[in-house]
C-alpha cells in the first residue's frame, strides 16, 4: 500500500490560478472526469475527496488531460 503522507517533491511547488472546487463521493472517478471537463482553462482543479485514503482520484491520464486543457497548477 502507498503511504498516505505523500509530500510534494517539486523544487518550486507554488501554483496560482482561480480555484475550481469539486467535491466527490468515495472513489467517484466520474465526478473527477466531469470536474476536469468543466474546469475552465487557467483555473486550478481542486478535488475534495472527503478524506478518502484508500482510492486514487488522480493519475497519469487525468494529468495529461489537465495539461492538454491548459489548467493551472
Amino acid at each position: 500500500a502507498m503511504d498516505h503522507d505523500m509530500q510534494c517533491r517539486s523544487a518550486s511547488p507554488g501554483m496560482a490560478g482561480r480555484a475550481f472546487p469539486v467535491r466527490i463521493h468515495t472513489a467517484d472517478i466520474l465526478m473527477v472526469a466531469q470536474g476536469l471537463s468543466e474546469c475552465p482553462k487557467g483555473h486550478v482543479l481542486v478535488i475534495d475527496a472527503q478524506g478518502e485514503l484508500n482510492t486514487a482520484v488522480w493519475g497519469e491520464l487525468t494529468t495529461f488531460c489537465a495539461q492538454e486543457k491548459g489548467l493551472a497548477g
Side-chain angles (χ1 to χ4, degrees):
M2 190 158 76
D3 185 7
H4 299 305
D5 296 322
M6 297 182 348
Q7 297 180 4
C8 181
R9 301 281 183 192
S10 173
S12 57
M15 69 175 79
R18 288 187 164 210
F20 187 85
V22 175
R23 176 173 278 179
I24 65 169
H25 298 287
T26 303
D28 189 353
I29 194 67
L30 294 178
M31 287 303 295
V32 173
Q34 182 176 351
L36 187 56
S37 173
E38 294 177 4
C39 187
K41 180 178 180 176
H43 284 55
V44 177
L45 181 61
V46 179
I47 301 171
D48 175 4
Q50 302 185 58
E52 173 60 41
L53 298 175
N54 294 315
T55 306
V57 296
W58 195 263
E60 183 179 3
L61 291 176
T62 45
T63 298
F64 176 77
C65 291
Q67 289 173 335
E68 286 294 305
K69 189 168 182 178
L71 300 188

